[in-house]
Amino acid sequence: MVSSPHEAMHRIFQEYPGLFSRVSEVLGVDIPPPTSAVALPTDLTEARPVERRVDTLLRIETEHEGPFLLAIEAQGKKDPRKTASWPYYVSYLHNRYALPVLLLVVCQDHATAEWAARPVSIGVRRWQTLTLSPLVAGPHNMPVITDVAEARKDLALATLAAITHADNPDVGAILKTLSAALRDAPETIANPIVELTAQGLGNRSAAQQWRNLVAVDLSFYKSFMSEEIRDEGRAEGRAEGLAEGILLILKVRGIPTADEFHEKITSCTDPQLLRQWLNRAATATTADEVFAEE
């Protein structure tokens, strides 16, 4: 099953095709800036029933050096099968479109990035017929952007940088910078970035930090994620209020609560269950009665 970070690491190039020009600069590769970019079909399946798909495929136009194809693969972990798939992708695309082909691999951890950067050679020991050298973007070479002005200059690059640094100990500062940079951005610009960043962080602890930042810093946005976060925030607020009400009633009525009961009440996030406990707290004579089964 394809993960959210996997989708975000290559989809961002679909949303912002010009991003590759800035990424190539970061990677130290002299690629001409594009004059246009068109997303092409990602299906690389041949007539025989073997399906192969590259994650994202773009046709990049340049002013002086003509067009080329940019194949982008999001790689979450080492996968030995890719040493066979990637050369196939490149040779197939070159044959089909008769254009130069670049392969960019986007990673979120150093070990995978180091593995992906190794040249893939096909041939015999004394003569390599084909050698594939992917470009690799990851935490080892993407910038750590913690300056708001710098992030505002290139929001797409700042977003990709945040995604690739999802496991960075300073990811909180990176995400805070990105959210601050988005405050004055129009919804049409901010909303895709909010969603892509959430996807890119996946199930990491940083994902909750991003959700909190979106809820506070970007509360005026109307994206799906923003609405979902606001709904969660309202639910959490209701739950906290009900929990405080239960504890207050028990305290006023002089009913002692052991630490385990206190923890059970304050950690509950189900408003319906908390209301049930609140009703019982009004008439119960012991804390046990509050939590008694129906």
Side-chain angles (χ1 to χ4, degrees):
M1 182 176 179
V2 176
S3 65
S4 294
H6 179 278
E7 286 295 293
M9 283 192 286
H10 70 85
R11 264 195 55 221
I12 189 171
F13 289 91
Q14 296 178 19
E15 297 285 343
Y16 309 100
L19 173 61
F20 177 68
S21 177
R22 280 94 75 189
V23 172
S24 66
E25 291 178 12
V26 172
L27 301 182
V29 181
D30 184 19
I31 302 295
T35 56
S36 68
V38 179
L40 301 177
T42 60
D43 189 350
L44 308 184
T45 308
E46 295 187 27
R48 56 180 179 169
V50 177
E51 183 176 330
R52 297 182 176 93
R53 291 181 184 272
V54 66
D55 288 333
T56 284
L57 180 62
L58 300 173
R59 176 188 168 110
I60 305 290
E61 297 285 345
T62 64
E63 186 173 0
H64 301 295
E65 297 188 25
F68 67 91
L69 298 181
L70 175 62
I72 303 160
E73 284 280 281
Q75 199 64 34
K77 60 182 180 180
K78 299 177 184 179
D79 184 353
R81 294 174 297 179
K82 294 298 185 179
T83 57
S85 297
W86 288 343
Y88 172 85
Y89 294 168
V90 170
S91 59
Y92 175 88
L93 290 169
H94 182 266
N95 182 66
R96 177 175 177 179
Y97 292 96
L99 290 174
V101 183
L102 281 180
L103 173 64
L104 173 66
V105 183
V106 185
C107 308
Q108 288 179 296
D109 68 90
H110 290 271
T112 302
E114 182 180 358
W115 165 82
R118 296 173 184 168
V120 178
S121 296
I122 299 175
V124 296
R125 184 171 62 87
R126 293 183 176 274
W127 189 267
Q128 299 301 319
T129 305
L130 172 66
T131 299
L132 174 71
S133 300
L135 286 174
V136 178
H140 64 299
N141 55 14
M142 292 301 290
V144 175
I145 300 177
T146 54
D147 180 80
V148 176
E150 183 182 355
R152 284 199 181 108
K153 289 178 183 177
D154 196 331
L155 289 171
L157 181 63
T159 303
L160 180 64
I163 291 172
T164 55
H165 287 290
D167 293 321
N168 190 306
D170 295 326
V171 68
I174 296 171
L175 295 176
K176 181 65 177 176
T177 300
L178 180 58
S179 68
L182 290 173
R183 286 176 188 167
D184 299 326
E187 285 187 25
T188 53
I189 294 175
N191 285 343
I193 289 177
V194 168
E195 304 291 345
L196 283 165
T197 304
Q199 276 191 324
L201 297 175
N203 296 322
R204 294 171 172 83
S205 58
Q208 187 57 50
Q209 296 182 55
W210 180 243
R211 297 175 77 84
N212 294 339
L213 287 168
V214 171
V216 176
D217 291 347
L218 309 176
S219 59
F220 49 90
Y221 288 113
K222 304 299 182 184
S223 70
F224 173 80
M225 180 187 172
S226 300
E227 291 298 325
E228 179 182 312
I229 290 173
R230 283 194 284 274
D231 289 343
E232 289 179 1
R234 286 190 285 266
E236 289 174 3
R238 288 194 298 270
E240 290 176 4
L242 289 167
E244 291 175 1
I246 295 169
L247 294 172
L248 180 61
I249 289 175
L250 293 174
K251 180 179 179 180
V252 170
R253 298 189 63 230
I255 299 174
T257 56
D259 290 343
E260 61 181 287
F261 290 144
H262 190 280
E263 174 66 21
K264 187 172 184 178
I265 293 169
T266 56
S267 63
C268 181
T269 57
D270 184 348
Q272 184 176 353
L273 181 57
L274 286 165
R275 289 192 192 94
Q276 188 178 75
W277 291 346
L278 182 66
N279 291 332
R280 290 177 182 172
T283 59
T285 57
T286 66
D288 288 326
E289 294 179 14
V290 175
F291 306 107
E293 295 293 335
E294 292 289 351

